[in-house]
Amino acid sequence: MSEDYPYFPTYGGALAHYAKHTPDQIALRFGDRVTDYKTYDRHATQIANGLMEMGLSKGDRVAYFGKNSDRSVELALGAARAGMVFIPIIWRLAPKEVEFILNDSGAGVLFVEPEFADQLPFDGKKVLTDDSFDVWRDAQSDAVVTVEVGAQDALLQLYTSGTTGLPKGVVLSHHNGTHLRPLTKEHNIYWYCPEPGDSLIFAMPYGHIAGVGTAISGVLGGLEVIVHREFDPALTIADVQKYKVKWLFIVPAALGIMLAHPDAETADFSSVKGLTYGASPIPLDMLKEGVARLKCDFAQLYGLTETFGTVISLPPDDHKPENIVGREHVMKSAGKPMPGVEVRIMDEDLNPLPAGQTGEVAIRSDCVMLGYWNRPEENEKALIGDGWFRTGDAGMVDEEGYLYIQDRIKDMIITGGENVYPAQVESALYGHPDIADIAVIGIPDEKWGEAVKAVIVAKPGSSLTEADVIAYAKDQIAGFKCPKSVDFIEALPRNPSGKILRRELRAPYWDGKERAVN
């Protein structure tokens, strides 16, 4: 492996490497605040020492609730250096959902942005991430942290909505995230291993692996990470031009919003070398518009929280219009496995299926999580031995090795890049006194890919309306999980064992579509 792309067992070790070799290189940029690598490294050490001064030790959980910022990124590296486990919580979650995560994780401290502080029930240590955070951090010792942190130690604990309605904490190690970079360089997967000093914009939500994973990946390659508080098309367009940004990661819905922005018409995107996207395939018309406007390489990334993000990629060559004439179907695939990743399609008995047959997608890779936090039964179902992980996605691998995602075995809905599980929405709505029965499904949506729809059986004599249901949902769960529309029917279709036949409910909306995901 190249000396320019060494393997770093830990994120703290990677940060120390670039602090030593490129100390004056810009590491983080957030508005007017600019942090170079030597300062970033010192701040991480001070945060680590500060956390230990609070009485926390290796393996303890450090939670953060807020939007993207340079402080939140430094906090992740400080926790990593102390051997602690960082838990960025999706800021759009409802207070009850956040309370569950804090209790389930046993977080020893919560760092929270001031605007959210009064909303969160937390009896433990709470630190605001306003200017007082800088005062606290800078008062800590910058003495070398002596905690021994290894590649297999836990780094992140990210909560995904559970199919039973309860979120699960996905525990990821340092090695899950660090091992892939030198392999991508070795195999010339240049769109996943920018050169040291390259700049990228981080604007995806921090509580997702695509958010925090992108943010902390900068230390693996000595990159300049330009932090946006949240996705803003005008700011993205402006910063690309102002800072000559080379790399963008975005979900297709956000790309569509950016391309439709008036500023995009005259913007200079010539600095952009590559754009990677995930969460859903990109519509062919949007791809053609994006390639024409940005004139850069496009690559699709497929992965899960449980795999530290990307395990499959559709490379730039398969996005170029001149290369896909007569084989446009490839654009509908997720791509091919990354180096060191194996894919298997399994039947219901977990037996391998041949090319061309649809079954459950399983992944074997060093990317696969350590496990779900305190969920032994879930681990037994998902981690099936010999390094294999069941994704819950239904897919097919063709003769060329391209993976096609056909449906979601776990019924998950992806709307605008956000994961929504029907059971969680159903559980929240069941409390309404006029709802007798309910099913939640995803239906096609031109803007967001999918939209959440509730199909409800109202109690006899009820005058329940769509507006009533949506208003009730907004008091219970995050806005992106709430139904955007409601249908009322007399009875839900069920199989003999009583399970709701969601595919039967979805069928009319997906009629004529090639896949049951959008």
Side-chain angles (χ1 to χ4, degrees), residues 307-322:
T307 60
F308 211 110
T310 306
V311 285
I312 307 288
S313 180
L314 187 68
D317 281 350
D318 285 328
H319 285 77
K320 293 176 180 176
E322 64 270 22

Side-chain angles (χ1 to χ4, degrees), residues 5 49 92 156 190 248 263-264 287 397 496:
Y5 291 82
N49 285 321
R92 297 173 67 185
L156 297 172
Y190 61 89
L248 294 172
D263 293 351
L287 167 67
V397 173

Side-chain angles (χ1 to χ4, degrees), residues 9 26 36 62 98 105 111 121 125 152 174 176 193 257 264 338 342 349 357 377 381 410 428 438 463 478 490 495 508:
I26 294 174
D36 59 28
V62 176
V98 179
S105 66
F111 289 81
K125 302 180 184 72
Q152 296 301 329
H174 288 257
N176 288 154
C193 55
I257 293 170
M338 297 286 275
E342 297 175 73
D349 297 319
Q357 292 194 26
E377 292 183 2
K381 292 177 185 176
K410 297 177 182 177
I438 181 174
S463 59
E490 291 186 3
N495 66 13

Side-chain angles (χ1 to χ4, degrees), residues 425 429 438-445 450-456 465-467 469-470 473-474 479 481-488 509:
V425 183
L429 290 178
I438 181 174
V440 169
I441 59 173
I443 64 172
D445 185 271
E450 292 179 82
V452 179
K453 174 181 279 292
V455 182
I456 288 175
T465 66
E466 179 180 74
V469 174
I470 294 173
K474 288 180 178 178
K481 299 180 182 179
C482 295
K484 299 297 184 290
S485 61
V486 179
D487 285 351
F488 292 93
Y509 302 99

Side-chain angles (χ1 to χ4, degrees), residues 88-299:
I89 303 173
I90 300 170
W91 67 267
R92 297 173 67 185
L93 295 181
K96 290 180 181 178
E97 296 171 300
V98 179
E99 183 178 16
F100 174 84
I101 290 171
L102 292 172
N103 290 335
D104 182 73
S105 66
V109 60
L110 170 64
F111 289 81
V112 58
E113 289 196 324
E115 67 181 276
F116 303 113
D118 294 336
Q119 304 174 22
L120 304 181
F122 185 66
D123 298 328
K125 302 180 184 72
K126 187 184 289 186
V127 179
L128 298 182
T129 55
D130 54 11
D131 291 343
S132 65
F133 174 84
D134 295 355
V135 175
W136 168 80
R137 178 198 63 208
D138 295 343
Q140 309 306 317
S141 169
D142 61 1
V144 174
V145 177
T146 58
V147 177
E148 292 188 10
V149 182
Q152 296 301 329
D153 285 331
L155 168 75
L156 297 172
Q157 187 164 314
L158 303 182
Y159 277 80
T160 66
S161 298
T163 55
T164 61
L166 295 176
K168 296 177 293 186
V170 177
V171 183
L172 299 164
S173 71
H174 288 257
H175 183 70
N176 288 154
T178 64
H179 83 282
L180 189 56
R181 180 177 168 78
L183 288 175
T184 56
K185 179 63 175 180
E186 184 179 329
H187 291 265
N188 193 33
I189 304 179
Y190 61 89
W191 61 94
Y192 205 73
C193 55
E195 298 290 334
D198 280 1
S199 55
L200 65 85
I201 289 178
F202 152 51
M204 295 296 100
Y206 202 42
H208 295 268
I209 189 60
V212 67
T214 299
I216 66 176
S217 70
V219 303
L220 301 181
L223 308 180
E224 174 183 337
V225 178
I226 300 168
V227 182
H228 287 181
R229 185 163 162 75
E230 55 189 321
F231 174 68
D232 179 332
L235 181 60
T236 299
I237 294 167
D239 276 3
V240 164
Q241 298 172 97
K242 184 176 181 179
Y243 301 116
K244 305 300 180 186
V245 171
K246 289 189 176 182
W247 300 95
L248 294 172
F249 174 80
I250 204 166
V251 298
L255 174 62
I257 293 170
M258 187 179 80
L259 292 175
H261 195 278
D263 293 351
E265 289 289 340
T266 57
D268 178 7
F269 292 111
S270 60
S271 67
V272 179
K273 183 175 181 180
L275 182 148
T276 55
Y277 65 93
S280 65
I282 194 166
L284 191 57
D285 288 343
M286 185 189 295
L287 167 67
K288 291 177 178 177
E289 182 184 359
V291 171
R293 191 75 61 83
L294 273 67
K295 296 181 173 61
C296 70
D297 286 340
F298 277 62

Side-chain angles (χ1 to χ4, degrees), residues 409-422:
I409 291 173
K410 297 177 182 177
D411 293 319
M412 186 176 72
I413 301 163
I414 297 182
T415 176
E418 298 280 6
N419 296 345
V420 177
Y421 282 90

